[in-house]
Amino acid sequence: MMLTNKQIKLINSLHSKKGRTENELFLVEGEKGIQEVLDSSFGVEFLVINEEYSDLFSSPTIPTYFVSKDEITKLSTLTINHYGLAIVRTKTVHSLSSLENQVLVLDGVRDPGNLGTIIRICDWYGISQIVLSNDCTEFYNPKVIAATMGSFKRVTCFYTDLTKFFQANPEHKILGADLSGENLHTYSFPNKAFIVMGSESHGIRKEVSAFIQERITIPRFGEAESLNVAISTGIILDHVRRNQSLSGLK
């Protein structure tokens, strides 16, 4: 089968947030992402695959179009994409009906690469829920999806007004990553906690900071001014899991 002009126009529209929102579709690109989405609960509209890799992604139920490598390059948002892309239906998360004991909260994180890496880190540490302020970068941004390396299918991202969310869930202690906080190495994490990370440029904003009950910091031994938010998240989540292991919690 050959791609129609209408399908090509649709794929190109999914490069923008407006197009993804209007069509309720998003792109999954590259070998790992396509393999992961085919083994997920996401609905796949159709596949566009490099004809050289036709044996890797064949599906009896999903329409599949085999095209040249050059055509993949033209359609993809990635600088390098040898394999192809999947056109996938979005899911709208209206609420988190059952909260995990440890939930990551992001305030104003706008960089798609950072968000994608954070999702992947959460997947590594078994954190399957992230709550995000409404102005965080879009979950379905192709750069976010690519950076997750397939972890997007296992981590739920819920966008909301953080102040209202905290008010509605008082059973979790609200922790904030802050340079003036308690040393992470000696801090004992509560069983139920919201771990709040702010943006690299602004940190946790004033209206969100008002809800923080305890502050934690990664101790600095050198002269660097700050850490990347994704790196900081990984270090903190590692200490969360280590603390739980030592205390016998899961």
Side-chain angles (χ1 to χ4, degrees), residues 21-22 66 70 77 109 137-138 148 171 173 175 177 216 233:
T21 302
E22 290 178 350
F66 296 105
D70 288 342
T77 68
V109 174
T137 194
E138 177 207 9
T148 71
E171 69 281 1
K173 181 165 283 188
L175 313 179
I216 52 176
T233 298

Side-chain angles (χ1 to χ4, degrees), residues 14-18 20-21 24-29 33 36-37 40-43 77 88-94 96 104 106 109-123 127-160:
L14 302 182
H15 291 206
S16 72
K17 182 177 181 179
K18 180 182 178 182
R20 293 188 292 270
T21 302
E24 297 182 339
L25 296 169
F26 70 104
L27 297 176
V28 175
E29 303 170 84
E36 290 281 8
V37 80
S40 75
S41 61
F42 281 91
T77 68
V88 187
R89 290 188 287 276
T90 59
K91 295 180 180 180
T92 302
V93 180
H94 296 288
L96 295 176
L104 184 69
L106 302 180
V109 174
R110 303 298 299 272
D111 182 85
N114 278 338
L115 177 56
T117 302
I118 288 169
I119 291 169
R120 187 178 176 187
I121 288 168
C122 283
D123 188 24
I127 304 292
S128 66
Q129 295 174 338
I130 304 176
V131 176
L132 306 94
S133 62
N134 285 317
D135 64 340
C136 282
T137 194
E138 177 207 9
F139 176 76
Y140 292 115
N141 183 307
K143 292 181 180 179
V144 173
I145 296 298
T148 71
M149 292 295 289
S151 290
F152 68 89
K153 77 173 190 179
R154 288 179 290 270
V155 178
T156 299
C157 286
F158 173 53
Y159 290 78
T160 189

Side-chain angles (χ1 to χ4, degrees), residues 13-106:
S13 75
L14 302 182
H15 291 206
S16 72
K17 182 177 181 179
K18 180 182 178 182
R20 293 188 292 270
T21 302
E22 290 178 350
N23 292 288
E24 297 182 339
L25 296 169
F26 70 104
L27 297 176
V28 175
E29 303 170 84
E31 180 184 17
K32 179 65 174 175
I34 296 173
Q35 288 175 339
E36 290 281 8
V37 80
L38 289 176
D39 186 32
S40 75
S41 61
F42 281 91
V44 179
E45 289 284 293
F46 61 93
L47 300 171
V48 182
I49 303 298
N50 184 341
E51 56 198 2
E52 296 178 19
Y53 301 102
S54 59
D55 57 326
L56 292 180
F57 304 105
S58 58
S59 170
T61 59
I62 300 170
T64 304
Y65 300 85
F66 296 105
V67 301
S68 69
K69 178 182 176 181
D70 288 342
E71 288 178 276
I72 294 296
T73 300
K74 289 177 183 177
L75 293 171
S76 180
T77 68
L78 302 178
T79 303
I80 299 175
N81 180 359
H82 296 303
Y83 294 91
L85 47 88
I87 289 74
V88 187
R89 290 188 287 276
T90 59
K91 295 180 180 180
T92 302
V93 180
H94 296 288
S95 65
L96 295 176
S97 56
S98 179
L99 288 171
E100 293 180 340
N101 285 346
Q102 306 292 333
V103 178
L104 184 69
V105 179
L106 302 180

